[in-house]
Amino acid sequence: MKYSVKILLSLGFLAVVGAAGAGLFFFYPHSLPEVTASAKQPSGQELIARGEYLTIAGDCAACHSAKGGKPFAGGLPFKLPFGTIYSSNITPDKEHGIGAWSDAEFVRAVRSGVGKHGENLYPAFPYASYALLSTDDILAIRAYLNTVTAVSDAAPENTLEFPFNQRWLMRGWNLLFLPSHPFENDPSKDERWNRGAYLVEGLAHCGECHTPRGLMFQRKQGQALSGGEVDGWKAWNITSDPETGIGNWSDEDLKGFLATGHAKGHGPAGGAMREAVDLSFSRLPPSDIQAIVAYLRTVPAVKTDPGSKVVPAVPEASTRPPEELGARIFAGACSSCHGKDGSGLVNARASIQGSHAVNDPQGSNLVRVILQGSSNSARLPGQTMPAFHAIYSDEEVAALANYVTGLLSGKNGRVTAKDVAKARE
């Protein structure tokens, strides 16, 4: 059965489920019960500061700020096989933002994916994770967002094809896949573990990228945190499996990677993960990083594609002649920063030995970082890799990716010019 047919059948099933739940979801109330913070909630500047911290931990700016756009004004495109979704304006502008929203409407949107007027939001907004947030935390985020600069710009309209543009289908999806209550501490675990669980599963929503998706775009919780794919980038296995996950990383490796975006022997973060480090993880207190690591250590191991098993650096594995296309490009464009063996010459970040990217024969992330480059928001010298999409052809990028994979993992890269052309889109 073709994948598209399966999708349509899944949508039909969602329609049935959604219709069955029509009494609950078809007509949303015009007024919602008032939401109130607990007695523990701070007030004034302390509340705003907490909301800012939570907004950073939730990485809200990454999705709600378009490249080169104004903070939190939305408009960032999420390209899907059946159209494009644009993030919304969450500044306090009353017409195009959330300035006219009540606290109850904001809490409902964050937890249930339902907008001010009862419209269903798409799960590109990670409300299935945010459903675990406490009311206090959601209201604190709202308090901070009320203080950011209002932007009177409407986000572009979504361009989804039928039937994916039928928002009411999400009612069925919510019935099936939305958590039914906020996060509850596990009394058998300590405070650090519970904090880590709250961050990983809820606020930092790690599973939205690092958990594989099912046919209805739901997270496969039986394979939680074992790896996913976002915009063609692979989000790697972060379960405790020692071969295909992070089981062989030390605690210091993990803390360093989250705080700085790289770890010796494991390479640098790229794509959306580097952005998450730049805008979120690197700005969290060490106690939060330690809590995340403590929780990840207990995530059940899930072994994924053995072909992507990370092996130590094996520079001697390359027996390719110097005149080979990939080797010539690497010598001319890459080795001055990364070194002839990938160990890094400029700084620690330039070391790519042991990274998932160079251990993946499909080269998904390696191709994209060659094409797009990599940088944090500051674009500091020594921390920026230039983009080569305008310099090398599809054939040349494929040859370079396959050479690097062979050089640093001993595996035979399988990247084709067609794969590179697809990554350019």
Side-chain angles (χ1 to χ4, degrees):
M1 184 181 295
K2 291 184 178 180
Y3 187 70
S4 59
V5 175
K6 290 183 178 181
I7 289 177
L8 289 174
L9 288 176
S10 297
L11 286 171
F13 178 66
L14 281 178
V16 172
V17 175
L24 291 175
F25 290 96
F26 195 82
F27 293 106
Y28 289 97
H30 293 291
S31 61
L32 294 169
E34 183 179 352
V35 295
T36 56
S38 74
K40 297 180 180 180
Q41 184 82 313
S43 60
Q45 287 302 313
E46 188 178 352
L47 173 63
I48 293 170
R50 176 161 179 77
E52 181 179 17
Y53 151 73
L54 292 166
T55 301
I56 290 169
D59 205 15
C60 304
C63 290
H64 288 280
S65 305
K67 306 302 181 186
K70 298 174 183 177
F72 302 108
L76 184 72
F78 294 83
K79 296 181 180 180
L80 306 172
F82 37 82
T84 302
I85 295 173
Y86 294 89
S87 62
S88 57
N89 182 335
I90 57 171
T91 73
D93 181 75
K94 291 187 176 182
E95 181 178 0
H96 300 297
I98 58 172
W101 291 42
S102 69
D103 285 349
E105 288 166 343
F106 184 77
V107 170
R108 179 179 66 176
V110 172
R111 277 215 188 114
S112 305
V114 177
K116 176 177 175 59
H117 304 292
E119 72 279 15
N120 285 91
L121 307 177
Y122 291 100
F125 172 49
Y127 63 84
S129 292
Y130 291 161
L132 299 177
L133 301 189
S134 68
T135 300
D136 277 3
D137 281 355
I138 298 174
L139 291 176
I141 291 171
R142 173 68 193 277
Y144 168 69
L145 290 177
N146 283 342
T147 70
V148 306
T149 301
V151 179
S152 185
D153 293 336
E157 292 290 332
N158 296 333
T159 57
L160 297 179
E161 300 171 359
F162 181 85
F164 303 99
N165 60 355
Q166 302 300 299
R167 290 177 178 267
W168 66 272
L169 289 173
M170 295 311 305
R171 296 167 192 156
W173 193 94
N174 289 348
L175 278 172
L176 291 172
F177 305 120
L178 194 64
S180 58
H181 56 79
F183 176 81
E184 296 177 351
N185 283 345
D186 183 341
S188 70
K189 305 291 186 180
D190 62 20
E191 182 179 352
R192 175 179 290 182
W193 184 95
N194 278 295
R195 180 60 183 167
Y198 183 74
L199 288 166
V200 171
E201 302 294 344
L203 189 58
H205 57 279
C206 304
E208 298 292 336
C209 291
H210 287 279
T211 296
R213 298 277 178 173
L215 198 56
M216 289 184 279
F217 200 67
Q218 84 281 11
R219 288 175 294 170
K220 295 182 177 180
Q221 289 303 103
Q223 302 172 44
L225 303 179
S226 65
E229 184 175 317
V230 181
D231 290 336
W233 290 82
K234 287 184 178 178
W236 304 109
N237 183 342
I238 55 172
T239 72
S240 53
D241 181 70
E243 294 185 345
T244 59
I246 56 172
N248 68 340
W249 291 49
S250 70
D251 285 359
E252 293 307 310
D253 288 340
L254 288 170
K255 293 173 188 176
F257 190 84
L258 290 172
T260 68
H262 66 90
K264 185 178 180 179
H266 302 288
M273 187 62 200
R274 181 164 191 185
E275 186 176 61
V277 170
D278 182 28
L279 298 178
S280 180
F281 291 117
S282 66
R283 300 169 65 186
L284 297 183
S287 59
D288 275 355
I289 298 297
Q290 292 164 5
I292 290 171
V293 171
Y295 176 71
L296 288 177
R297 286 304 191 199
T298 68
V299 173
V302 178
K303 190 175 295 296
T304 47
D305 178 17
S308 295
K309 174 184 174 181
V310 176
V311 297
V314 284
E316 71 279 0
S318 178
T319 58
R320 295 163 171 76
E323 67 272 12
E324 183 182 309
L325 178 60
R328 285 190 281 112
I329 296 173
F330 184 84
C334 310
S335 61
S336 60
C337 288
H338 296 293
K340 293 181 179 180
D341 60 356
S343 60
L345 292 180
V346 178
N347 54 36
R349 179 180 289 280
S351 173
I352 53 176
Q353 291 180 346
S355 68
H356 277 98
V358 302
N359 277 270
D360 176 20
Q362 295 177 339
S364 298
N365 292 9
L366 185 55
V367 165
R368 283 163 176 79
V369 79
I370 292 171
L371 292 173
Q372 301 172 21
S374 179
S375 175
N376 58 17
S377 58
R379 303 190 67 84
L380 297 174
Q383 297 187 29
T384 297
M385 174 175 165
F388 291 100
H389 67 276
I391 300 176
Y392 296 117
S393 67
D394 295 344
E395 291 77 10
E396 289 171 326
V397 172
L400 175 59
N402 290 332
Y403 174 77
V404 172
T405 299
L407 174 70
L408 299 180
S409 74
K411 302 174 185 178
N412 292 319
R414 299 195 296 270
V415 179
T416 66
K418 185 177 180 180
D419 296 330
V420 179
K422 184 177 180 181
R424 287 185 190 269
E425 295 176 0

